[in-house]
Amino acid sequence: KLNELRGALNFWQEQNGDMGSIPESDLFYSMWPDGKQPQTQAPVVKIEGHKVFLECATPGASIAFIIADEAIEPGLESGWQLYHEPIKAQKGKILYVLGVRIGYRDSDIEKTQL
């Protein structure tokens, strides 16, 4: 039975591209060319009418944002939200955006006056 289950596990790993048996050091070098950690590109803010659209050119990245009444230190501030749809443009507020991707350094925080 043990050999049957090992065979099933091996088949599943091959079919699904499981990388659990690859040493972390090898994964590190495959993710980070020349051993240098890549950085997520900063999101681009587009304001169209009363909507704010956010885009990030880094494949697989997520975008976090904060809308504030006044300037804050967003790296220390809690309340980041995950962008998933256009945001209502709130005149006079400040929008902070951040691109994040697992394995990459976060983008620089971008600030936009709405």
Side-chain angles (χ1 to χ4, degrees):
K1 187 66 174 181
L2 182 58
N3 286 335
E4 176 188 340
L5 293 174
R6 282 184 180 146
L9 173 62
N10 289 337
F11 178 77
W12 185 90
Q13 288 174 320
E14 289 173 14
Q15 293 298 311
N16 293 286
D18 183 82
M19 296 187 280
S21 62
I22 299 173
E24 284 188 26
S25 59
D26 292 347
L27 288 173
F28 168 82
Y29 286 109
S30 69
M31 282 185 67
W32 298 358
D34 301 322
K36 184 176 179 183
Q37 184 181 21
Q39 183 174 17
T40 308
Q41 292 184 15
V44 174
V45 177
K46 295 180 182 178
I47 302 172
E48 297 178 8
H50 298 291
K51 298 281 185 183
V52 178
F53 297 85
L54 305 178
E55 297 176 358
C56 184
T58 302
S62 296
I63 302 171
F65 71 95
I66 293 176
I67 297 176
D69 291 323
E70 55 189 39
I72 58 172
E73 302 237 359
L76 305 174
E77 177 72 25
S78 63
W80 287 95
Q81 298 179 60
L82 181 63
Y83 175 78
H84 59 91
E85 63 184 1
I87 304 165
K88 180 182 175 190
Q90 301 174 42
K91 189 171 176 72
K93 303 263 183 166
I94 301 172
L95 173 68
Y96 295 91
V97 295
L98 174 70
V100 295
R101 180 179 170 182
I102 293 175
Y104 285 50
R105 283 186 301 128
D106 292 348
S107 73
D108 293 331
I109 296 170
E110 300 292 324
K111 175 181 167 183
T112 302
Q113 181 75 43
L114 298 176

